[in-house]
Amino acid sequence: MALSRFLQQKSSFNPLVICVTLLIVLLVVGITLVMPEQVNMLLNMVKSSIFKNFSWFYILGFSIFLFFLLTLSISSFGSIKLGMNEEEAEFGFWAWLAMLFAAGMGVGLMFFGVTEPLTHYLSSITTGASEHKQQEALLHTVFHWGIHAWAVYAVIALALAYFAFRYKLPLALRSCFYPLLKDRINGKMGDIIDILALISTLFGIITTLGFGSAQLGAGLEQLGWITENSFLIQIAIIFVVMAMAMTSAISGVGKGVKILSEINLSLALLLMIFVLLSGPTLYLLSAFNDNLGTYLSNLLQLSFKTYVYEQNNTEWFSGWTVLYWAWWCSWAPFVGLFIARISRGRTIREFIFGVLAVPSLFCVIWFTIFGDTAIWINERLANGALSELINVPEKLLFKFLNYLPLPTLTGLFSLVVISLFFITSADSGIYVLNNIASRDKSLSAPRWQAIMWGLLMSIVAIVLMRSGGLPILQTMTLIVALPFMLLMLIMCVSLWKGLNADQKYFTTKVTPTSVYWNGENWQERLEQILNQTQEQDILKFLKRTALPAMRELRQELIGKYGLSVHINTYFEQTEPAVEFIIQKESLRDFMYGIKSVGREVSAQLINDDHLPHIQHNMTYEPYTYFFDGRTGYDVQYMNSSELIADILKQYERYLNLLTNVGQELMSHQKTELAE
C-alpha cells in the first residue's frame, strides 16, 4: 500500500504498468546473475527457434508496414494533418529531421558505417568479382538501414501522432487502438499494451548502450587515453554518458534534445564530408549513384526474400536481416513516440516523405562514403589490415581513420559524435520511457524518474553484457520484438479505421434537406432531429410524403408534357423503397429512388446519459439512389414540395448530361448476365 501511495503521490507512473515491467526486468537480471550459463543456453535455444519459425513473419511484416505507408501517402488520407486543420508545424524542417535522425539510429551509423559493408564484402552473401562483391555488400547494408527500418518507425509514430493530435487522445501507445478498443484503452487492455511497449523499448535502448560503450572504449584506446578497452572502462563510459543524458532529459525535449540533435547532425555531416573529400572522392560520387540505383531496383525482391532457396545463406540472413528487423521493431515504440512528439502540425503525406525518404537517402550517402571508402582502403592501401578486425567491430572506425589525414583529430572528433549520439539516444529514451509508464500523459515526470531510468538501463546493460556481451543483448531484443510486431500489425488496421472515420467526418456535407430549409417551424424540425427514426417511421415517410409527391409530379409530366412516367413501390421488401422513373426509348431511363437504409449506432452513444434520444442500436434514414449509381443522401426532413424540387433538380442534371456528353454514355441499358 505504501508503494502504491508513493507512486500515486510522488510520481507520474501508472502503478500496474511500472510494477509489472520492473518485476519482469529484475527477474531477467536476477536469473542472469544467478545462472548466466543456463540463461545463455536458453536464450540461444529461443533465438534458434525464432530464426527457424518466424523469420518469414518479420520479413512479411516489415513489407506490409512499408506498403501500408506508401498507400496512405498517395491516397486522399495524405492531406490529413497531424493536428487541427489550421495548425502549423511545431518545429522547423531542419530541426525536425535532426531530432528524428539523432534519436533514430545515430549510434548505429557510427558503429556499423565501416563495419557492415566490409563484413558483407568478406562474407558468402557476396559473390563474383571484387567490384560485384562490393556492390552487393553495399546493397545489403543499405537495405538493412534504408526505407524498411524507417517504415517501422513511421507506422508507430504516425499512429501515435494522429490519435494524439487529431483525436485529442493521450500521446500513448494504447491510444493507437482506440478505433478497435474504444474506452477499453483506459483499462487493463491499455495497460498490457503499455507493458509490452515499455519492455520492448527498454531492451532496444539497452542494446544500443552496449554498442555505444564498446565503440567509445575502443576510441579511447586508439587515442592512447586508456591502455585497454576493458569491461570496467565500458561500465564507466555507460555511467558517464548516462549521467549526461539524465541531465539533458531533465531540461526537456524542446531544449536539451533539440539542441543536442542539431549539434549532433551538424558534426556527423562534417565528419562525412571530411571522409568524402579525403578519400577517393570521384569514385564515391559515382558509387553513390550506383548504390542508390541498385538499391531501388532490388528493393521489391529484397522486401520479400527469405533465402528459402539459398540454404547456404540462411545463417547470414538470420544473423543480419532478421536481427536488424527485430532491433528496429524493439526501437519502434521509443523512436516512434519521440518522432510523434515532434511532428505535430504536419500532413500525413509530408510526415511519411520526411520520415521515409530523407533519412533513407542519408543512409545511402553515409554507407557509400564510409563503406565504399573502407573497402577501397582495405584493398588498395591497407593490404587487408581492416578485414582482420571485423570480429572486433568497435575498433574498425578508428583503424579506418588512421588511413586518412589527421587521424588523431578525426578520432577525437568521432568520439565526440558517438558520445553525442549516445547521449541523445539515452536522453530521448528516458523521455519516452517516462511517457509510456505514465498514468496521465499530461503529467510532468519528477526529476528522480529520469535518474531511475538512467540507472536501470545502465545496470541491466552491464549485467547482460557481463553475462554474454552484445549477443545476449541482441537475443533479448529479438525475443521481445516478436509480440510487439504482431501488435503493430493490428495497429495498422486501427489506424486505417480511424482515418476512414476522420475522412467521413470532414467530408460529410449538409444534406439537401437543410439546404432548402429557411428556418421555419424550427421546433418541429428539432423534434424530428432528436427522435431516433426506426423502419416504420421511414415507411410512413415513403407512403405519406414521397409517394404523393411523385404522383403529383407524374400527373404534371404526363398530362402537360406527354412523358412516359411510372412509379414503382417496394414497401414489402427488406429495404422498403419507392422509385420515380421517366422512360426514354433509346436512352437510359431517368430514375430517382428513395429507400430505407439502416446503420448501426455506437454503444458509446446509446450509453451516454447526455443523449437520451439515442436508445436503439439501429437507426434508419430515407436515402436517395439514382439511375447512374451515384451515392445518395438523406431526404427525411423534406416536405412534398421540396421533394418535387429535388427530383426536378436531378432530372435537370440528367438532361444536361444528355446535351454535354452525348448519347454514347447513356444510350445503353443494363445487360443481365446469364445464369
Side-chain angles (χ1 to χ4, degrees):
M1 290 298 293
L3 177 62
S4 178
R5 193 162 51 250
F6 172 79
L7 292 174
Q8 286 288 346
Q9 296 175 359
K10 302 294 184 180
S11 78
S12 64
F13 288 141
N14 178 330
L16 179 63
V17 172
I18 191 64
C19 288
V20 172
T21 301
L22 289 178
L23 182 64
I24 293 171
V25 172
L26 292 174
L27 193 64
V28 170
V29 171
I31 294 172
T32 305
L33 282 172
V34 175
M35 301 182 295
E37 292 182 6
Q38 291 89 335
V39 168
N40 241 322
M41 190 182 300
L42 178 63
L43 289 177
N44 285 330
M45 287 173 57
V46 174
K47 180 168 72 172
S48 299
S49 178
I50 291 174
F51 284 155
K52 183 180 178 181
N53 299 305
F54 294 102
S55 292
W56 66 270
F57 180 65
Y58 278 106
I59 298 302
L60 182 62
F62 268 62
S63 298
I64 290 172
F65 296 148
L66 177 58
F67 287 103
F68 174 70
L69 290 169
L70 294 177
T71 302
L72 288 184
S73 67
I74 62 176
S75 70
S76 56
F77 296 145
S79 57
I80 295 175
K81 271 200 173 184
L82 302 176
M84 297 298 99
N85 290 340
E86 69 279 359
E87 278 191 82
E88 297 296 325
E90 183 178 0
F91 296 99
F93 192 70
W94 174 255
W96 179 60
L97 283 181
M99 283 192 284
L100 71 87
F101 195 76
M105 44 183 65
V107 173
L109 286 180
M110 294 297 294
F111 191 92
F112 290 99
V114 171
T115 301
E116 186 171 346
L118 191 59
T119 304
H120 295 333
Y121 176 75
L122 298 168
S123 73
S124 61
I125 198 66
T126 57
T127 56
S130 176
E131 293 81 5
H132 188 254
K133 289 178 68 175
Q134 186 170 347
Q135 185 184 46
E136 286 190 336
L138 268 296
L139 168 63
H140 291 299
T141 303
V142 171
F143 175 64
H144 291 155
W145 290 81
I147 198 168
H148 281 78
W150 288 95
V152 75
Y153 295 164
V155 163
I156 201 166
L158 179 60
L160 283 163
Y162 174 73
F163 287 108
F165 305 139
R166 194 76 171 178
Y167 275 57
K168 303 297 184 184
L169 292 169
L171 187 63
L173 208 66
R174 62 176 68 197
S175 299
C176 302
F177 299 88
Y178 178 77
L180 300 176
L181 299 177
K182 298 294 189 293
D183 288 339
R184 284 178 292 171
I185 63 169
N186 299 318
K188 294 295 186 288
M189 291 293 292
D191 291 339
I192 292 169
I193 291 167
D194 281 349
I195 290 167
L196 275 174
L198 204 56
I199 294 171
S200 180
T201 302
L202 262 172
F203 283 105
I205 300 171
I206 287 166
T207 302
T208 303
L209 289 180
F211 284 125
S213 62
Q215 193 172 31
L216 281 172
L220 293 172
E221 184 183 1
Q222 182 65 34
L223 291 171
W225 293 3
I226 58 175
T227 56
E228 183 186 1
N229 185 19
S230 65
F231 183 65
L232 287 174
I233 292 294
Q234 292 179 28
I235 291 176
I237 290 170
I238 287 175
F239 277 115
V240 170
V241 170
M242 195 56 74
M244 297 174 70
M246 288 185 288
T247 305
S248 176
I250 290 169
S251 67
V253 177
K255 296 177 183 176
V257 179
K258 180 177 179 291
I259 294 168
L260 280 176
S261 298
E262 289 180 334
I263 294 171
N264 210 2
L265 188 58
S266 301
L267 293 177
L269 284 172
L270 286 174
L271 181 64
M272 186 177 70
I273 292 168
F274 171 80
V275 175
L276 172 64
L277 296 177
S278 59
T281 306
L282 291 176
Y283 175 77
L284 294 175
L285 292 174
S286 298
F288 167 72
N289 288 340
D290 199 296
N291 291 338
L292 183 61
T294 304
Y295 172 57
L296 293 175
S297 62
N298 287 275
L299 185 60
L300 187 62
Q301 181 192 13
L302 288 174
S303 296
F304 298 95
K305 191 168 184 175
T306 60
Y307 293 85
V308 68
Y309 300 117
E310 302 176 29
Q311 290 296 313
N312 58 315
N313 288 323
T314 53
E315 187 177 347
W316 175 92
F317 168 66
S318 301
W320 282 97
T321 306
V322 178
L323 264 180
Y324 263 129
W325 274 204
W327 194 16
W328 301 148
C329 206
S330 70
W331 263 57
F334 153 49
V335 180
L337 204 150
F338 186 74
I339 293 174
R341 166 65 182 83
I342 61 176
S343 299
R344 185 170 193 152
R346 303 193 178 275
T347 65
I348 288 177
R349 189 172 290 111
E350 180 188 7
F351 175 90
I352 292 173
F353 172 77
V355 178
L356 291 188
V358 178
S360 298
L361 184 62
F362 186 88
C363 285
V364 177
I365 297 170
W366 183 275
F367 283 105
T368 295
I369 292 173
F370 282 86
D372 272 312
T373 304
I375 295 171
W376 188 87
I377 288 174
N378 187 62
E379 296 297 309
R380 290 171 172 80
L381 298 178
N383 296 319
L386 292 181
S387 60
E388 295 173 2
L389 295 171
I390 59 173
N391 292 322
V392 278
E394 63 270 15
K395 295 183 178 181
L396 258 175
L397 174 64
F398 301 100
K399 290 292 184 183
F400 160 79
L401 292 173
N402 281 342
Y403 291 93
L404 298 176
L406 307 171
T408 304
L409 183 61
T410 55
L412 181 61
F413 195 85
S414 298
L415 273 179
V416 173
V417 174
I418 294 166
S419 300
L420 287 176
F421 272 132
F422 204 165
I423 293 167
T424 49
S425 295
D427 181 351
S428 45
I430 289 169
Y431 167 79
V432 169
L433 290 170
N434 269 327
N435 182 282
I436 297 173
S438 177
R439 64 180 179 275
D440 184 349
K441 310 309 174 184
S442 62
L443 289 174
S444 297
R447 293 184 176 184
W448 70 264
Q449 288 182 202
I451 299 169
M452 185 208 80
W453 287 121
L455 290 172
L456 181 66
M457 286 190 288
S458 302
I459 292 167
V460 176
I462 291 165
V463 170
L464 293 180
M465 285 175 68
R466 184 65 177 174
S467 302
L470 289 177
I472 197 171
L473 292 175
Q474 291 175 322
T475 303
M476 290 299 303
T477 300
L478 183 70
I479 294 169
V480 298
L482 190 59
F484 191 76
M485 187 152 164
L486 181 61
L487 201 67
M488 285 187 64
L489 289 169
I490 300 171
M491 187 189 297
C492 290
V493 177
S494 179
L495 178 58
W496 186 268
K497 191 173 180 180
L499 288 167
N500 268 306
D502 188 307
Q503 189 175 59
K504 188 175 182 180
Y505 178 88
F506 283 97
T507 56
T508 299
K509 300 177 181 177
V510 176
T511 63
T513 306
S514 298
V515 173
Y516 287 120
W517 185 43
N518 60 7
E520 293 181 0
N521 303 318
W522 64 268
Q523 292 96 338
E524 295 177 15
R525 174 65 66 87
L526 179 62
E527 186 179 357
Q528 284 181 293
I529 292 171
L530 293 181
N531 281 325
Q532 194 179 6
T533 50
Q534 296 299 289
E535 196 160 29
Q536 62 267 25
D537 300 315
I538 305 305
L539 190 59
K540 187 188 298 183
F541 171 83
L542 294 178
K543 290 180 177 179
R544 296 183 181 182
T545 304
L547 185 58
M550 290 179 177
R551 284 171 174 170
E552 185 180 349
L553 181 57
R554 181 183 63 177
Q555 186 177 351
E556 181 76 7
L557 293 174
I558 294 175
K560 194 170 183 178
Y561 299 98
L563 296 179
S564 178
V565 184
H566 67 269
I567 298 170
N568 297 328
T569 57
Y570 306 100
F571 295 148
E572 305 302 320
Q573 292 186 165
T574 307
E575 291 185 339
V578 59
E579 293 177 350
F580 183 87
I581 298 172
I582 302 176
Q583 291 181 309
K584 302 289 183 182
E585 289 186 6
S586 60
L587 299 172
R588 198 180 303 174
D589 293 343
F590 168 81
M591 189 266 288
Y592 180 104
I594 305 173
K595 64 180 178 181
S596 175
V597 175
R599 58 181 175 85
E600 289 188 25
V601 178
S602 165
Q604 191 176 2
L605 295 178
I606 297 172
N607 298 328
D608 194 332
D609 295 335
H610 298 289
L611 299 170
H613 62 287
I614 300 178
Q615 299 175 351
H616 306 284
N617 61 353
M618 291 289 294
T619 191
Y620 294 85
E621 297 164 342
Y623 253 69
T624 56
Y625 59 98
F626 307 102
F627 66 96
D628 52 7
R630 284 177 294 130
T631 304
Y633 43 83
D634 182 8
V635 293
Q636 65 179 306
Y637 303 127
M638 287 187 181
N639 57 36
S640 292
S641 298
E642 292 168 344
L643 203 54
I644 290 171
D646 195 53
I647 296 172
L648 291 176
K649 180 181 71 174
Q650 295 296 338
Y651 187 56
E652 183 186 22
R653 177 184 179 275
Y654 170 85
L655 295 175
N656 285 333
L657 283 173
L658 290 181
T659 306
N660 295 331
V661 304
Q663 285 75 43
E664 293 85 357
L665 188 62
M666 302 177 64
S667 61
H668 304 285
Q669 298 288 352
K670 179 181 177 182
T671 301
E672 298 294 336
L673 296 176
E675 294 292 333

